[in-house]
């Protein structure tokens, strides 16, 4: 079975190193995952006043989240936290109250940085947010990537054998995690809104 995975790049820059990393992850992902980017560039700043009559970019974003079997966040770290465009997208996707598009979606978080800690603090912040949104997370392996430009090709090639092996392992583990989460979130399990569907 092939699972549709939406991936979100936390940087708006077209030459973002995390976009380069995303290409490598797509290339190394197992055949069971079909990855498609969910863009966040055109989302307006979140405003509660606009929740009930959102612009098309918001409704399209929420539909893309809801139409995905799982979500992969590939993001830099800004000022020891989540980049503003990504947090803005998460806020839109979680609203209005009772229409949280992220609920029960198996998620993975990975990020690249030129620094040695490789987005570790951003990922910690993301885990807190995703926990509140009831989005199950792949907790291991953790993936904090120190980016070296000479390692990555334009089409997702990874020149360093150790890096390629690690990234492939990460995607294999994420694929297995998606299978596990989806198998226990099928209709009829605890947490469904209709109590008549519970076993």
């Amino acid at each position: 079975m092939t699972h549709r995975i939406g991936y979100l790049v936390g940087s708006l820059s077209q030459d973002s190193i995390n976009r380069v990393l995303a290409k490598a992850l797509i290339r190394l992902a197992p055949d069971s995952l079909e990855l498609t980017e969910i863009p966040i560039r055109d989302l307006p700043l979140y405003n509660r006043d606009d929740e009930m009559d959102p612009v098309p970019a918001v409704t399209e974003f929420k539909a893309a989240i809801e139409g995905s079997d799982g979500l992969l966040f590939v993001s830099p770290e800004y000022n020891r936290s989540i980049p503003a465009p990504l947090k803005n997208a998460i806020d839109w996707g979680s609203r209005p109250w009772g229409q949280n598009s992220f609920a029960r979606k198996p998620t993975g978080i990975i990020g690249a940085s030129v620094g040695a800690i490789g987005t570790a603090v951003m990922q910690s912040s993301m885990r807190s947010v995703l926990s509140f949104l009831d989005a199950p997370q792949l907790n291991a392996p953790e993936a904090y990537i120190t980016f070296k430009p000479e390692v990555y090709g334009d089409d997702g090639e990874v020149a360093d054998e150790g890096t390629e092996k690690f990234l492939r392992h990460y995607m294999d583990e994420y694929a297995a995690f998606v299978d596990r989460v989806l198998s226990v979130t099928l209709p009829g399990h605890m947490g469904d809104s209709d109590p008549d569907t519970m076993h």
Side-chain angles (χ1 to χ4, degrees):
M1 178 180 294
T2 301
H3 295 305
R4 301 181 306 274
I5 305 300
Y7 72 92
L8 291 78
V9 178
S11 170
L12 299 184
S13 173
Q14 288 302 308
D15 60 356
S16 164
I17 61 176
N18 281 276
R19 187 168 296 281
V20 174
L21 175 61
K23 289 182 180 179
L25 296 173
I26 293 169
R27 181 173 174 272
L28 296 172
D31 292 339
S32 62
L33 301 184
E34 179 183 307
L35 282 91
T36 303
E37 183 175 4
I38 300 178
I40 62 175
R41 171 179 294 275
D42 295 332
L43 293 172
L45 287 176
Y46 170 75
N47 184 340
R48 191 174 73 89
D49 294 345
D50 300 326
E51 278 186 1
M52 305 312 296
D53 187 24
V55 298
V58 171
T59 56
E60 291 166 8
F61 174 76
K62 285 180 67 69
I65 295 293
E66 293 166 11
S68 300
D69 297 318
L71 301 167
L72 185 64
F73 296 91
V74 188
S75 178
E77 176 177 300
Y78 290 175
N79 298 318
R80 296 291 188 265
S81 191
I82 305 169
L86 180 56
K87 183 57 167 62
N88 184 60
I90 292 171
D91 291 343
W92 273 119
S94 68
R95 303 293 295 181
W97 183 258
Q99 298 179 35
N100 170 21
S101 302
F102 294 100
R104 303 170 77 181
K105 301 290 184 181
T107 61
I109 311 168
I110 187 171
S113 168
V114 296
I117 64 172
T119 74
V121 184
M122 176 279 295
Q123 293 192 39
S124 178
S125 297
M126 278 287 292
R127 292 188 185 283
S128 177
V129 172
L130 293 175
S131 293
F132 178 76
L133 297 181
D134 191 27
Q137 305 162 46
L138 174 65
N139 291 316
E142 296 177 310
Y144 313 126
I145 309 302
T146 301
F147 188 82
K148 299 177 180 178
E150 66 274 13
V151 169
Y152 299 88
D154 293 336
D155 296 321
E157 306 96 334
V158 181
D160 180 77
E161 182 178 354
T163 301
E164 180 178 22
K165 182 178 179 181
F166 176 80
L167 295 178
R168 188 185 301 277
H169 173 66
Y170 179 85
M171 293 306 291
D172 286 343
E173 289 293 322
Y174 176 67
F177 174 71
V178 170
D179 284 337
R180 291 195 302 274
V181 171
L182 294 182
S183 70
V184 298
T185 57
L186 292 172
H189 285 266
M190 294 295 290
D192 289 330
S193 58
D194 182 0
D196 292 334
T197 67
M198 296 183 186
H199 297 266

